């Protein structure tokens, strides 16, 4: 592997770390902006579900920090300990965002459906792509067998990259749904809404960096694959 590979890894790691740390600071900051309506994250989630006529989704608490997610298999909105019981702008943003995914599921939002269909394949590709790429290098990419092993690894990596980019509209749409509902239903004040927007903006950037990082790595190995045939 050349210096370019390690440079790409270094840049991706640095950006991911910076954005992750910024997100944690933002979450901490807006956790201090208490909601005037006194609603907890769980209560906001339940109201948003009810307002959209969704009755088969449960809101539950899950351990950890920023571990919030929607599980389409058992139809649960899982809110972390810092969101479920808290009554602040950060909790409002996160809980509404996760319900946004539940609404996408209920309405068969095409990007969410596409992402869900890719999950089984991506679970396989993420496990084996690196092994195949390394195997191709060991065998020698210039040889016929080494080339095709490396090519298989690059194809699997491409699937993971596709998945990361399909995730972007899913996450941005969930945030847009959340913010629109919070504002239209007057769940939050103008100041609280500003905090919710900022928190979700930085959360979305974690997915953006992951997608760009995945694309950069894919481009690197595609170029290596092409160079091996010259």
């Amino acid at each position: 592997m050349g210096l370019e590979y390690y440079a790409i890894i270094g840049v991706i790691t640095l950006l991911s770390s910076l954005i992750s740390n910024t997100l944690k600071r933002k979450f901490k900051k807006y956790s201090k902006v208490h909601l005037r309506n006194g609603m907890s994250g769980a209560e906001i989630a339940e109201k948003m579900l009810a307002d959209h006529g969704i009755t088969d989704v449960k809101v539950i608490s899950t351990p950890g920090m920023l571990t919030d997610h929607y599980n389409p298999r058992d139809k649960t909105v899982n809110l972390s300990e810092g969101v479920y019981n808290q009554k602040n702008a950060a909790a409002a943003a996160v809980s509404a965002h996760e319900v946004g995914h539940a609404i996408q599921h209920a309405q068969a939002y095409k990007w969410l459906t596409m992402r869900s269909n890719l999950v089984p394949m991506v679970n396989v590709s993420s496990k084996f792509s690196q092994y195949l790429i390394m195997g191709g290098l060991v065998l020698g990419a210039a040889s016929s067998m080494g080339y095709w092993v490396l090519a298989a690894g690059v194809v699997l990596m491409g699937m993971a990259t596709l998945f990361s980019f399909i995730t972007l509209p899913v996450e941005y749409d969930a945030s847009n749904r959340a913010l629109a509902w919070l504002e239209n239903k007057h769940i939050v004040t103008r100041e609280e809404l500003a905090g919710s927007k900022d928190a979700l903006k930085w959360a979305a950037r974690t997915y953006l960096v992951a997608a760009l990082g995945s694309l950069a790595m894919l481009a690197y190995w595609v170029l290596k694959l092409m160079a091996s045939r010259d």
Side-chain angles (χ1 to χ4, degrees), residues 90-104:
V94 174
S95 59
H97 173 89
E98 298 308 331
V99 173
H101 288 310
I103 296 169
Q104 291 173 338

Side-chain angles (χ1 to χ4, degrees), residues 23 25 69 90 95 116 125 136 142 150 157 161 179 184-185 190 211 221:
L23 174 60
R25 288 199 303 272
H69 64 281
S95 59
S116 298
S125 66
L150 178 60
M157 182 176 285
T161 300
L179 294 170
N184 294 336
K185 293 295 183 176
R190 185 171 299 179
W221 287 114

